[in-house]
Amino acid sequence: MIIGNVSFPSTSSKMEVLLHQLWPRVLRRLPRVLNYSCKSHSGCTAGHPPRPTPTDSITRPSTHIPLVSRLFQPSNLRDVAKESHTPGEMTCKSQRLMQQAGLIYPSNPGCYYYLPAAVRSMEKLVRLIDQEMQGIGGQKLDMPSLCSADLWRRSERWDLMGKELFRLRDRHGAEYCLGPTHEEAVTELLSSHGILSYRQLPLLLYQITRKFRDEPKPRSGLLRGREFYMKDMYTFDVSEEAAYHTYESVCQAYARLFSRLGLPILKVQADAGNIGGKVSHEFQLPADIGEDRLLVCDTCSFSANVETMEPGQTDCPRCQRSTLMETKGIEVGHTFYLGTKYSHVFNATFNNSLNQPVVTEMGCFGLGVSRILAAAIEVMSKEEAIHWPGLLAPYQVCVLPPKKGSKLDDLAGLAEELAHSLGEALPRLRGEVVLDDRIQTTVGKRLKDACRLGYPYVVVVGQKAAEETPRFEVICQQTGETMFLNKDGLFDLLRCVDTV
């Protein structure tokens, strides 16, 4: 028997009658089912009407493009230092710009909320660090921030660190600290797993976590806080020679990282401080706001923190031909060759090729992750506008549609389509294009905001976009150059943008 275009086997007269009755009902309901399915996939919750679209914003299409009006970035693009209730609180450019732009917001002294745009930048920086650390054999782990006082007493740093440690007791009276660094913890971890084989070394373990230090006078935003993000790597080697080789390998990875960020870092001779060790270097970003005094030779590559030099020394100890020039820097990285300072205390050993137990040679290597972010803004930005290292910008492109009610109002759809096509045609820019849908505001005001927030590329859909062959105004923040490009030219320009 055939019902409609569908053939059914003849089984019983009752079944035939039932199908005759049901099939027309199914056909009548089918359009409604399909329509409901489309609505469900458009983002509406089943059984609920779609959310109303704001009258002054562009209708959101199916492919998600971040809209400026929806970003949680409470910008205050004015001089927050003058409006502060605590005069003198804004002590540097990066702190002011980051608070104005809605990147950070102060909480307790030396502690900040990291808002979504800042988190995007931090995540990009973390990905870069992961690439470089894992490129030299690093393995990522995560250690507790709460560290036992017993470990720190065994290394004799519980008293040595003094008031810098955040100390606390639990309900049972056991003492802990919030870890500013993890030499004790990682060495104890290694020791607790028994004796290693020399074939397992070198071992490079690192983490990227929050650290804590009770700064007496936290200042300069993320440059000197009480709670901050740090990458700390700990290495274990079979010999002093092998440890020095690993040391140089990590230093080279640091140099590559800062080169990718476009930051002119100085590697300077440094004091080991309370961490200890035989050799130490700091990675300094020259800046007037820097708290470290550096001596640099303009003839050879020698550079040092003044703490490591004899008082009043002005001649270069390496080439002995030039006078050392003094400058200031922001410390963004620090490396230490520790020897057996910690591995001996915690009995971190390995069996050598003769099956004899030997104490491992250690190194530790830090990067101030949140400090790098702030320091880059400090040295690269103008007084009234953020300039990012290209790879760290929260978004790479901002598209500005015309103002609502203007003569170019009908080009709003073109701006929306452009924002979508950039992400679809250029895979590197997926998730990197934001649409400033605040079309009740003038293009000039939004352009000024975009420049202050530091989008590397701003694309304005203006008068020339109404021509027979639409052209878009493109502002490159890094160079200050303004171009008028058709769609193909724009795509060619942005195809070269590097992202991470």
Side-chain angles (χ1 to χ4, degrees):
M1 174 176 33
I2 297 177
I3 301 177
N5 293 323
V6 183
S7 177
F8 295 89
S10 298
T11 55
S12 69
S13 58
K14 290 184 179 180
M15 182 62 71
E16 293 172 4
V17 172
L18 183 60
L19 288 172
H20 270 297
Q21 294 172 344
L22 290 178
W23 191 248
R25 297 181 188 178
V26 172
L27 292 176
R28 285 197 302 271
R29 288 179 56 86
L30 188 57
R32 284 185 289 170
V33 172
L34 291 174
N35 186 45
Y36 176 79
S37 176
C38 292
K39 289 182 179 180
S40 296
H41 285 287
S42 68
C44 302
T45 304
H48 296 275
R51 294 177 180 176
T53 302
T55 56
D56 287 336
S57 66
I58 295 172
T59 304
R60 285 176 294 165
S62 56
T63 303
H64 177 68
I65 290 290
L67 303 178
V68 169
S69 68
R70 301 298 301 275
L71 298 179
F72 184 66
Q73 190 173 0
S75 304
N76 180 22
L77 300 176
R78 294 168 292 179
D79 191 346
V80 293
K82 292 181 181 179
E83 299 176 0
S84 173
H85 297 295
T86 54
E89 184 182 23
M90 294 293 162
T91 56
C92 66
K93 178 171 58 179
S94 59
Q95 180 184 12
R96 174 173 54 82
L97 289 175
M98 293 182 81
Q99 287 189 221
Q100 284 179 342
L103 298 172
I104 59 174
Y105 187 80
S107 174
N108 308 312
C111 301
Y112 287 85
Y113 296 96
Y114 292 73
L115 302 181
V119 171
R120 280 182 63 90
S121 293
M122 288 277 289
E123 289 173 343
K124 292 179 179 184
L125 179 53
V126 168
R127 287 198 290 272
L128 282 173
I129 294 172
D130 284 339
Q131 289 174 8
E132 295 298 339
M133 294 302 98
Q134 293 171 20
I136 59 172
Q139 301 179 61
K140 196 171 186 179
L141 76 167
D142 197 348
M143 291 181 276
S145 294
L146 204 59
C147 302
S148 169
D150 293 339
L151 293 180
W152 284 70
R153 287 195 174 99
R154 286 171 65 185
S155 68
E156 300 182 351
R157 288 209 298 168
W158 182 257
D159 296 323
L160 183 64
M161 290 290 290
K163 294 182 178 180
E164 282 193 11
L165 278 183
F166 277 108
R167 306 164 195 256
L168 63 155
R169 293 176 182 267
D170 68 10
R171 65 181 66 192
H172 307 293
E175 291 182 287
Y176 298 88
C177 69
L178 294 176
T181 182
H182 279 75
E183 285 80 8
E184 289 84 357
V186 72
T187 316
E188 171 67 14
L189 172 68
L190 199 71
S191 175
S192 67
H193 283 73
I195 298 177
L196 299 171
S197 165
Y198 71 94
R199 294 186 179 89
Q200 295 174 268
L201 303 179
L203 187 61
L204 292 74
L205 303 175
Y206 79 99
Q207 62 176 351
I208 300 176
T209 57
R210 288 180 186 245
K211 295 290 193 293
F212 304 87
R213 187 172 291 130
D214 194 356
E215 289 283 351
K217 294 181 179 180
R219 57 197 176 275
S220 302
L222 300 188
L223 293 179
R224 183 164 293 280
R226 289 177 168 172
E227 183 180 12
F228 49 93
Y229 284 93
M230 191 170 90
K231 187 282 304 179
D232 44 324
M233 172 178 272
Y234 306 93
T235 62
F236 302 86
D237 276 280
V238 298
S239 66
E240 184 172 332
E241 180 183 3
Y244 275 118
H245 178 78
T246 298
Y247 186 94
E248 285 304 317
S249 177
V250 178
C251 287
Q252 290 168 14
Y254 279 19
R256 287 192 298 272
L257 171 69
F258 291 120
S259 176
R260 294 175 71 181
L261 293 175
L263 298 177
I265 295 294
L266 289 175
K267 178 186 174 185
V268 307
Q269 176 180 296
D271 181 57
N274 56 36
I275 289 180
K278 301 178 180 180
V279 177
S280 177
H281 289 90
E282 293 167 347
F283 288 75
Q284 295 273 357
L285 182 59
D288 292 337
I289 194 68
E291 297 183 350
D292 291 310
R293 295 169 54 210
L294 314 174
L295 294 174
V296 181
C297 178
D298 60 1
T299 300
C300 68
S301 59
F302 178 81
S303 56
N305 192 308
V306 294
E307 298 173 345
T308 67
M309 306 291 286
E310 293 183 8
Q313 182 175 353
T314 58
D315 294 334
C316 177
R318 179 176 296 172
C319 70
Q320 299 180 342
R321 294 197 307 271
S322 296
T323 300
L324 296 173
M325 305 296 292
E326 184 170 326
T327 186
K328 291 182 178 180
I330 301 171
E331 180 191 335
V332 290
H334 207 149
T335 58
F336 304 83
Y337 167 52
L338 300 173
T340 61
K341 174 179 171 64
Y342 296 92
S343 53
H344 176 75
V345 170
F346 292 97
N347 196 34
T349 60
F350 69 96
N351 279 344
N352 63 16
S353 59
L354 301 177
N355 205 32
Q356 297 170 336
V358 181
V359 176
T360 59
E361 297 279 336
M362 284 183 62
C364 69
F365 308 86
L367 283 175
V369 180
S370 47
R371 185 180 285 186
I372 290 172
L373 192 67
I377 291 175
E378 182 70 38
V379 301
M380 298 181 73
S381 300
K382 298 179 181 179
E383 284 299 323
E384 298 301 328
I386 293 176
H387 279 194
W388 296 91
L391 289 171
L392 300 189
Y395 297 96
Q396 292 291 331
V397 182
C398 180
V399 178
L400 305 185
K403 184 179 186 297
K404 183 180 180 181
S406 70
K407 295 179 181 179
L408 303 175
D409 194 6
D410 58 344
L411 295 178
L414 177 61
E416 188 176 6
E417 185 274 331
L418 178 65
H420 278 272
S421 59
L422 284 171
E424 292 171 356
L426 304 176
R428 287 184 180 181
L429 291 184
R430 275 180 199 149
E432 294 289 341
V433 181
V434 64
L435 183 66
D436 193 341
D437 63 326
R438 300 173 299 158
I439 52 180
Q440 74 280 6
T441 305
T442 65
V443 170
K445 172 65 168 64
R446 284 179 285 151
L447 180 58
K448 189 175 182 179
D449 287 354
C451 291
R452 286 184 169 184
L453 295 171
Y455 300 107
Y457 295 92
V458 181
V459 181
V460 180
V461 180
Q463 184 70 45
K464 294 185 183 297
E467 298 174 353
E468 183 177 351
T469 301
R471 288 189 296 159
F472 307 100
E473 182 181 358
V474 184
I475 298 98
C476 176
Q477 297 275 47
Q478 305 297 335
T479 64
E481 185 180 5
T482 299
M483 299 163 278
F484 289 91
L485 302 173
N486 61 22
K487 188 173 181 180
D488 289 341
L490 176 62
F491 278 41
D492 287 341
L493 174 70
L494 298 181
R495 188 172 283 111
C496 300
V497 173
D498 196 11
T499 57
V500 61

